[in-house]
């Protein structure tokens, strides 16, 4: 069950001076990835618990939650383009046409693509249309650590009709979020590294694709650009592979990420990357937050800083951020699958309130 609105951890969440965090929507069980429709509908996916896709409607101060896709296995990936909602399951990409006009009676889906390899691990997808008009999707490694089959541990792109599939990046263990630089159009993505080496290594990654189809990011031979794998790295060197653009912490589980393209936040956040760090599942020390990566004019990461914190209280999770979304007014939405909720972060100016339930 989702956490009741009056029991959400919103009052305990912390943001920098001048920002305010409030509950934007509750009762969104297992809220995961978010995409906004042309008419302002927020489409929210789920994963292991709900197996649904929701439409969240802003009713002028309150939100109405509708189920538009039900009883569909692991529909984590959602995207919106030209009036259609795209939904990715581990095996298929589906398209629901004219969805915002048919929220109460969604159409039968059109199968766009059904060529993903089967996988019981890291099989869920994310979706994003690039500035090239192509649809991007990851194919995760089918294991914690192994030499994957051809076609796995990579990011693909295809035409909107599912044809012309090609590899954009190889050596990608498990990417659960990516976005495109508004300045250059380059793809950036988060990647979760292997488990069961130590609590402090490897470090999860933020990566930058500068040569589509020609870069290998290390899996399973090198992790974090620093550590040759003890099982599969024999005879290999990390210098053979594209290094991370930034390291995001040991087992931090970085998921959704988004370039900030709004105008509400102060200028220093323009074109910075907000990253939801879901937190470790098997590390004794818990940590979860939304971080922000600041880039310089050469598109290098200068620093990664916590932005929205407070999801861990007394060494227990009280929330776990999954995705971030920049609204048209410049505010930032953050989904929380632990509570089935969505928070809104806005800027109110120096000296403004920092939290609102």
């Amino acid at each position: 069950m989702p956490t009741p609105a009056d029991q959400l951890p919103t009052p305990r969440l912390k943001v920098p001076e001048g920002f305010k965090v409030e509950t934007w929507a509750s009762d969104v069980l297992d809220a995961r990835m978010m995409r906004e429709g042309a008419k302002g509908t927020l489409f929210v996916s789920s994963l292991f618990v709900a197996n649904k896709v929701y439409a969240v409607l802003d009713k002028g101060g309150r939100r109405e939650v509708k189920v538009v896709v039900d009883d569909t296995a692991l529909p984590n990936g959602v995207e919106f383009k030209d009036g259609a909602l795209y939904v990715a399951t581990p095996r298929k990409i589906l398209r629901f046409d004219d969805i915002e006009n048919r929220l109460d009676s969604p159409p039968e889906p059109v199968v766009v693509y059904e060529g993903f390899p089967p996988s019981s691990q890291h099989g869920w997808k994310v979706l994003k249309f690039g500035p090239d008009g192509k649809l991007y999707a990851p194919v995760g490694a089918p294991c914690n650590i192994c030499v994957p089959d051809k076609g796995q541990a990579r990011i693909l792109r295809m035409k909107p009709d599912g044809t012309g599939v090609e590899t954009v990046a190889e050596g990608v263990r498990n990417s659960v979020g990516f976005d495109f630089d508004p300045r250059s159009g380059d793809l950036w993505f988060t990647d979760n590294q292997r488990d069961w080496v130590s609590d402090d290594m490897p470090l999860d990654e933020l990566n930058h694709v500068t040569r589509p189809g020609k870069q290998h990011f290390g899996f399973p031979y090198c992790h974090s650009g620093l550590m040759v794998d003890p099982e599969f790295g024999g005879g290999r060197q990390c210098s053979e592979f594209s290094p991370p653009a930034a390291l995001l912490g040991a087992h931090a589980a970085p998921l959704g990420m988004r370039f900030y393209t709004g105008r509400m936040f102060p200028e220093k956040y323009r074109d910075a990357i907000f990253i939801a760090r879901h937190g470790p599942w098997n590390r004794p020390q818990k940590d979860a937050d939304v971080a922000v990566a600041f880039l310089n004019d050469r598109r290098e990461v200068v620093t990664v800083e916590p932005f929205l914190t407070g999801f861990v209280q007394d060494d227990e999770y009280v929330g776990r951020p999954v995705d971030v979304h920049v609204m048209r007014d410049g505010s930032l939405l953050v989904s929380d699958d632990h509570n089935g909720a969505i928070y809104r972060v806005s800027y109110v100016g120096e000296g403004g309130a920092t939290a609102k339930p």
Side-chain angles (χ1 to χ4, degrees):
M1 298 292 293
T3 302
D6 61 356
Q7 297 178 29
L8 290 170
T10 313
R12 291 180 283 176
L13 300 180
K14 303 297 182 183
V15 282
E17 178 70 21
F19 288 89
K20 177 178 71 175
V21 56
E22 57 194 316
T23 301
W24 189 79
S26 57
D27 200 29
V28 189
L29 179 64
D30 196 26
R32 295 277 297 184
M33 314 311 288
M34 300 179 288
R35 294 290 186 269
E36 189 174 357
K39 296 183 177 181
T41 308
L42 186 74
F43 295 98
V44 185
S45 71
S46 63
L47 190 57
F48 299 112
V49 179
N51 289 310
K52 304 178 189 297
V53 176
Y54 307 92
V56 184
L57 305 174
D58 192 333
K59 295 293 185 176
R62 66 178 182 88
R63 257 58 64 186
E64 179 182 354
V65 180
K66 297 176 179 284
V67 175
V68 292
V69 180
D70 199 1
D71 195 25
T72 298
L74 308 182
N76 186 73
V78 288
E79 178 63 303
F80 184 91
K81 185 176 177 62
D82 297 333
L85 172 67
Y86 291 75
V87 177
T89 71
R91 297 300 302 275
K92 299 179 181 181
I93 299 176
L94 308 174
R95 191 185 73 234
F96 296 82
D97 294 326
D98 195 30
I99 187 65
E100 285 187 291
N101 293 321
R102 303 187 61 181
L103 296 177
D104 293 318
S105 57
E108 289 296 315
V110 175
V111 177
V112 173
Y113 182 75
E114 52 185 342
F116 293 122
S119 175
S120 60
Q121 194 168 0
H122 310 136
W124 49 91
K125 304 288 185 284
V126 289
L127 293 175
K128 184 76 174 175
F129 273 100
D132 55 7
K134 294 184 178 181
L135 184 59
Y136 288 65
V139 181
C143 56
N144 172 43
I145 185 71
C146 63
V147 177
D149 292 338
K150 184 178 181 181
Q152 296 175 318
R154 63 192 57 222
I155 296 174
L156 305 177
R157 66 182 173 188
M158 63 189 73
K159 296 178 182 178
D161 63 0
T163 63
V165 178
E166 58 185 341
T167 294
V168 178
E170 296 182 78
V172 180
R173 179 180 178 271
N174 183 28
S175 178
V176 194
F178 43 70
D179 198 10
F180 298 87
D181 189 330
R183 297 191 191 182
S184 67
D186 288 354
L187 174 68
W188 291 67
F189 65 92
T190 59
D191 194 12
N192 292 253
Q193 302 303 288
R194 69 160 294 176
D195 295 309
W196 310 122
V197 172
S198 79
D199 287 343
D200 300 318
M201 283 294 289
L203 306 171
D204 291 333
E205 301 174 0
L206 174 67
N207 289 303
H208 179 193
V209 178
T210 56
R211 294 173 290 117
K214 298 180 180 179
Q215 287 173 273
H216 192 294
F217 288 89
F219 181 84
Y221 311 108
C222 170
H223 314 291
S224 316
L226 300 171
M227 186 187 83
V228 172
D229 188 81
E231 297 176 64
F232 294 93
R236 310 303 293 261
Q237 297 180 345
C238 286
S239 59
E240 299 176 46
F241 308 105
S242 293
L247 298 173
L248 300 176
H251 311 292
L255 303 182
M257 57 156 283
R258 206 68 51 89
F259 280 88
Y260 184 75
T261 55
R263 294 292 185 268
M264 177 187 286
F265 290 7
E267 181 66 27
K268 78 171 192 174
Y269 292 95
R270 193 72 48 81
D271 296 341
I273 305 172
F274 283 95
I275 304 165
R277 294 192 286 198
H278 196 241
W281 65 273
N282 62 348
R283 185 174 185 250
Q285 183 178 348
K286 298 178 175 64
D287 196 13
D289 66 4
V290 174
V292 57
F294 293 102
L295 282 65
N296 61 22
D297 288 338
R298 296 188 299 275
R299 315 317 283 153
E300 300 164 334
V301 177
V302 177
T303 184
V304 178
E305 302 175 4
F307 177 78
L308 175 61
T309 61
F311 292 100
V312 177
Q313 302 282 335
D314 299 323
D315 203 33
E316 294 293 336
Y317 288 117
V318 299
R320 300 191 75 179
V322 178
D323 197 16
V324 291
H325 174 73
V326 181
M327 295 289 279
R328 292 170 188 170
D329 66 358
S331 61
L332 186 76
L333 297 186
V334 179
S335 61
D336 173 0
D337 64 349
H338 182 84
N339 290 302
I342 299 170
Y343 312 104
R344 177 179 181 263
V345 180
S346 57
Y347 185 70
V348 296
E350 295 297 328
T354 58
K356 180 182 177 181

PDB file of all heavy atoms in Angstrom, residues 190 252-257 274-279 289-291 321-324 334-335:
ATOM      1  N   THR A 190      23.347   7.107 -16.233  1.00  0.00           N
ATOM      2  CA  THR A 190      23.800   6.508 -14.986  1.00  0.00           C
ATOM      3  C   THR A 190      24.022   5.013 -15.216  1.00  0.00           C
ATOM      4  O   THR A 190      23.405   4.404 -16.082  1.00  0.00           O
ATOM      5  CB  THR A 190      22.771   6.695 -13.868  1.00  0.00           C
ATOM      6  OG1 THR A 190      21.525   6.087 -14.251  1.00  0.00           O
ATOM      7  CG2 THR A 190      22.543   8.164 -13.569  1.00  0.00           C
ATOM      8  N   ALA A 252      25.481   3.246  -4.736  1.00  0.00           N
ATOM      9  CA  ALA A 252      24.536   4.347  -4.535  1.00  0.00           C
ATOM     10  C   ALA A 252      23.244   4.148  -5.315  1.00  0.00           C
ATOM     11  O   ALA A 252      22.244   4.795  -5.029  1.00  0.00           O
ATOM     12  CB  ALA A 252      25.186   5.670  -4.927  1.00  0.00           C
ATOM     13  N   ALA A 253      23.266   3.272  -6.311  1.00  0.00           N
ATOM     14  CA  ALA A 253      22.095   2.985  -7.150  1.00  0.00           C
ATOM     15  C   ALA A 253      21.537   4.246  -7.805  1.00  0.00           C
ATOM     16  O   ALA A 253      20.374   4.603  -7.601  1.00  0.00           O
ATOM     17  CB  ALA A 253      21.019   2.256  -6.357  1.00  0.00           C
ATOM     18  N   PRO A 254      22.340   4.954  -8.615  1.00  0.00           N
ATOM     19  CA  PRO A 254      21.802   6.112  -9.338  1.00  0.00           C
ATOM     20  C   PRO A 254      20.813   5.643 -10.401  1.00  0.00           C
ATOM     21  O   PRO A 254      21.110   4.761 -11.197  1.00  0.00           O
ATOM     22  CB  PRO A 254      23.049   6.738  -9.959  1.00  0.00           C
ATOM     23  CG  PRO A 254      24.006   5.591 -10.121  1.00  0.00           C
ATOM     24  CD  PRO A 254      23.744   4.688  -8.956  1.00  0.00           C
ATOM     25  N   LEU A 255      19.640   6.240 -10.389  1.00  0.00           N
ATOM     26  CA  LEU A 255      18.590   5.822 -11.324  1.00  0.00           C
ATOM     27  C   LEU A 255      18.279   6.985 -12.265  1.00  0.00           C
ATOM     28  O   LEU A 255      19.080   7.322 -13.102  1.00  0.00           O
ATOM     29  CB  LEU A 255      17.363   5.341 -10.548  1.00  0.00           C
ATOM     30  CG  LEU A 255      17.609   4.187  -9.560  1.00  0.00           C
ATOM     31  CD1 LEU A 255      16.320   3.750  -8.887  1.00  0.00           C
ATOM     32  CD2 LEU A 255      18.277   3.000 -10.228  1.00  0.00           C
ATOM     33  N   GLY A 256      17.110   7.607 -12.135  1.00  0.00           N
ATOM     34  CA  GLY A 256      16.748   8.655 -13.077  1.00  0.00           C
ATOM     35  C   GLY A 256      17.644   9.871 -12.984  1.00  0.00           C
ATOM     36  O   GLY A 256      18.146  10.222 -11.909  1.00  0.00           O
ATOM     37  N   MET A 257      17.846  10.535 -14.112  1.00  0.00           N
ATOM     38  CA  MET A 257      18.641  11.760 -14.163  1.00  0.00           C
ATOM     39  C   MET A 257      18.048  12.688 -15.209  1.00  0.00           C
ATOM     40  O   MET A 257      17.421  12.253 -16.169  1.00  0.00           O
ATOM     41  CB  MET A 257      20.104  11.459 -14.489  1.00  0.00           C
ATOM     42  CG  MET A 257      20.313  10.707 -15.785  1.00  0.00           C
ATOM     43  SD  MET A 257      21.950  10.941 -16.501  1.00  0.00           S
ATOM     44  CE  MET A 257      21.788  12.580 -17.212  1.00  0.00           C
ATOM     45  N   PHE A 274      20.491  16.690 -12.446  1.00  0.00           N
ATOM     46  CA  PHE A 274      19.927  16.156 -11.209  1.00  0.00           C
ATOM     47  C   PHE A 274      19.839  14.639 -11.320  1.00  0.00           C
ATOM     48  O   PHE A 274      19.391  14.108 -12.340  1.00  0.00           O
ATOM     49  CB  PHE A 274      18.552  16.759 -10.939  1.00  0.00           C
ATOM     50  CG  PHE A 274      18.615  18.168 -10.412  1.00  0.00           C
ATOM     51  CD1 PHE A 274      18.500  19.250 -11.276  1.00  0.00           C
ATOM     52  CD2 PHE A 274      18.817  18.404  -9.065  1.00  0.00           C
ATOM     53  CE1 PHE A 274      18.566  20.551 -10.795  1.00  0.00           C
ATOM     54  CE2 PHE A 274      18.896  19.702  -8.573  1.00  0.00           C
ATOM     55  CZ  PHE A 274      18.773  20.778  -9.441  1.00  0.00           C
ATOM     56  N   ILE A 275      20.278  13.949 -10.265  1.00  0.00           N
ATOM     57  CA  ILE A 275      20.389  12.483 -10.278  1.00  0.00           C
ATOM     58  C   ILE A 275      19.735  11.922  -9.024  1.00  0.00           C
ATOM     59  O   ILE A 275      20.074  12.318  -7.902  1.00  0.00           O
ATOM     60  CB  ILE A 275      21.867  12.046 -10.318  1.00  0.00           C
ATOM     61  CG1 ILE A 275      22.595  12.661 -11.523  1.00  0.00           C
ATOM     62  CG2 ILE A 275      21.974  10.515 -10.335  1.00  0.00           C
ATOM     63  CD1 ILE A 275      24.106  12.565 -11.431  1.00  0.00           C
ATOM     64  N   ALA A 276      18.805  10.998  -9.201  1.00  0.00           N
ATOM     65  CA  ALA A 276      18.178  10.316  -8.071  1.00  0.00           C
ATOM     66  C   ALA A 276      19.033   9.120  -7.673  1.00  0.00           C
ATOM     67  O   ALA A 276      19.205   8.191  -8.456  1.00  0.00           O
ATOM     68  CB  ALA A 276      16.770   9.861  -8.436  1.00  0.00           C
ATOM     69  N   ARG A 277      19.565   9.169  -6.457  1.00  0.00           N
ATOM     70  CA  ARG A 277      20.340   8.044  -5.931  1.00  0.00           C
ATOM     71  C   ARG A 277      19.450   7.258  -4.972  1.00  0.00           C
ATOM     72  O   ARG A 277      19.159   7.695  -3.861  1.00  0.00           O
ATOM     73  CB  ARG A 277      21.615   8.550  -5.248  1.00  0.00           C
ATOM     74  CG  ARG A 277      22.568   9.201  -6.238  1.00  0.00           C
ATOM     75  CD  ARG A 277      23.950   9.463  -5.678  1.00  0.00           C
ATOM     76  NE  ARG A 277      23.995  10.570  -4.744  1.00  0.00           N
ATOM     77  CZ  ARG A 277      25.113  11.218  -4.390  1.00  0.00           C
ATOM     78  NH1 ARG A 277      26.281  10.844  -4.913  1.00  0.00           N
ATOM     79  NH2 ARG A 277      25.068  12.219  -3.531  1.00  0.00           N
ATOM     80  N   HIS A 278      19.038   6.069  -5.423  1.00  0.00           N
ATOM     81  CA  HIS A 278      18.036   5.257  -4.739  1.00  0.00           C
ATOM     82  C   HIS A 278      18.565   4.668  -3.439  1.00  0.00           C
ATOM     83  O   HIS A 278      17.801   4.360  -2.526  1.00  0.00           O
ATOM     84  CB  HIS A 278      17.599   4.146  -5.694  1.00  0.00           C
ATOM     85  CG  HIS A 278      16.341   3.448  -5.333  1.00  0.00           C
ATOM     86  ND1 HIS A 278      16.301   2.095  -5.072  1.00  0.00           N
ATOM     87  CD2 HIS A 278      15.071   3.887  -5.201  1.00  0.00           C
ATOM     88  CE1 HIS A 278      15.057   1.731  -4.824  1.00  0.00           C
ATOM     89  NE2 HIS A 278      14.282   2.802  -4.885  1.00  0.00           N
ATOM     90  N   GLY A 279      19.866   4.478  -3.375  1.00  0.00           N
ATOM     91  CA  GLY A 279      20.491   3.954  -2.169  1.00  0.00           C
ATOM     92  C   GLY A 279      20.760   2.470  -2.246  1.00  0.00           C
ATOM     93  O   GLY A 279      20.101   1.728  -2.972  1.00  0.00           O
ATOM     94  N   ASP A 289      19.479  10.053  -1.859  1.00  0.00           N
ATOM     95  CA  ASP A 289      19.242  11.486  -2.034  1.00  0.00           C
ATOM     96  C   ASP A 289      19.028  11.804  -3.504  1.00  0.00           C
ATOM     97  O   ASP A 289      19.067  10.917  -4.360  1.00  0.00           O
ATOM     98  CB  ASP A 289      20.417  12.306  -1.479  1.00  0.00           C
ATOM     99  CG  ASP A 289      21.731  12.107  -2.244  1.00  0.00           C
ATOM    100  OD1 ASP A 289      21.745  11.380  -3.266  1.00  0.00           O
ATOM    101  OD2 ASP A 289      22.764  12.680  -1.825  1.00  0.00           O
ATOM    102  N   VAL A 290      18.764  13.053  -3.771  1.00  0.00           N
ATOM    103  CA  VAL A 290      18.865  13.588  -5.124  1.00  0.00           C
ATOM    104  C   VAL A 290      20.102  14.470  -5.134  1.00  0.00           C
ATOM    105  O   VAL A 290      20.206  15.411  -4.340  1.00  0.00           O
ATOM    106  CB  VAL A 290      17.621  14.391  -5.532  1.00  0.00           C
ATOM    107  CG1 VAL A 290      17.841  15.054  -6.895  1.00  0.00           C
ATOM    108  CG2 VAL A 290      16.393  13.487  -5.576  1.00  0.00           C
ATOM    109  N   ALA A 291      21.043  14.133  -6.008  1.00  0.00           N
ATOM    110  CA  ALA A 291      22.285  14.890  -6.121  1.00  0.00           C
ATOM    111  C   ALA A 291      22.222  15.777  -7.354  1.00  0.00           C
ATOM    112  O   ALA A 291      21.375  15.592  -8.239  1.00  0.00           O
ATOM    113  CB  ALA A 291      23.477  13.943  -6.211  1.00  0.00           C
ATOM    114  N   PRO A 321      14.298   7.924  -3.554  1.00  0.00           N
ATOM    115  CA  PRO A 321      14.046   8.612  -4.818  1.00  0.00           C
ATOM    116  C   PRO A 321      14.404   7.745  -6.021  1.00  0.00           C
ATOM    117  O   PRO A 321      15.375   6.981  -5.982  1.00  0.00           O
ATOM    118  CB  PRO A 321      14.944   9.836  -4.731  1.00  0.00           C
ATOM    119  CG  PRO A 321      16.028   9.447  -3.777  1.00  0.00           C
ATOM    120  CD  PRO A 321      15.408   8.503  -2.796  1.00  0.00           C
ATOM    121  N   VAL A 322      13.615   7.849  -7.069  1.00  0.00           N
ATOM    122  CA  VAL A 322      13.813   7.033  -8.269  1.00  0.00           C
ATOM    123  C   VAL A 322      14.079   7.879  -9.501  1.00  0.00           C
ATOM    124  O   VAL A 322      15.005   7.627 -10.255  1.00  0.00           O
ATOM    125  CB  VAL A 322      12.590   6.133  -8.532  1.00  0.00           C
ATOM    126  CG1 VAL A 322      12.777   5.322  -9.816  1.00  0.00           C
ATOM    127  CG2 VAL A 322      12.351   5.197  -7.360  1.00  0.00           C
ATOM    128  N   ASP A 323      13.242   8.897  -9.743  1.00  0.00           N
ATOM    129  CA  ASP A 323      13.367   9.679 -10.970  1.00  0.00           C
ATOM    130  C   ASP A 323      13.152  11.147 -10.646  1.00  0.00           C
ATOM    131  O   ASP A 323      12.595  11.508  -9.602  1.00  0.00           O
ATOM    132  CB  ASP A 323      12.339   9.213 -12.004  1.00  0.00           C
ATOM    133  CG  ASP A 323      12.659   9.676 -13.426  1.00  0.00           C
ATOM    134  OD1 ASP A 323      13.819  10.085 -13.665  1.00  0.00           O
ATOM    135  OD2 ASP A 323      11.760   9.632 -14.288  1.00  0.00           O
ATOM    136  N   VAL A 324      13.619  11.997 -11.558  1.00  0.00           N
ATOM    137  CA  VAL A 324      13.431  13.437 -11.454  1.00  0.00           C
ATOM    138  C   VAL A 324      12.840  13.939 -12.768  1.00  0.00           C
ATOM    139  O   VAL A 324      13.097  13.376 -13.833  1.00  0.00           O
ATOM    140  CB  VAL A 324      14.756  14.167 -11.146  1.00  0.00           C
ATOM    141  CG1 VAL A 324      15.233  13.862  -9.746  1.00  0.00           C
ATOM    142  CG2 VAL A 324      15.842  13.795 -12.160  1.00  0.00           C
ATOM    143  N   VAL A 334      10.155  14.722  -7.955  1.00  0.00           N
ATOM    144  CA  VAL A 334      10.969  13.582  -7.534  1.00  0.00           C
ATOM    145  C   VAL A 334      10.030  12.449  -7.149  1.00  0.00           C
ATOM    146  O   VAL A 334       9.173  12.624  -6.274  1.00  0.00           O
ATOM    147  CB  VAL A 334      11.870  13.948  -6.337  1.00  0.00           C
ATOM    148  CG1 VAL A 334      12.695  12.739  -5.901  1.00  0.00           C
ATOM    149  CG2 VAL A 334      12.775  15.127  -6.675  1.00  0.00           C
ATOM    150  N   SER A 335      10.171  11.300  -7.791  1.00  0.00           N
ATOM    151  CA  SER A 335       9.337  10.146  -7.452  1.00  0.00           C
ATOM    152  C   SER A 335      10.004   9.319  -6.361  1.00  0.00           C
ATOM    153  O   SER A 335      11.229   9.277  -6.246  1.00  0.00           O
ATOM    154  CB  SER A 335       9.070   9.278  -8.686  1.00  0.00           C
ATOM    155  OG  SER A 335      10.276   8.775  -9.227  1.00  0.00           O
TER     156      SER A 335
END
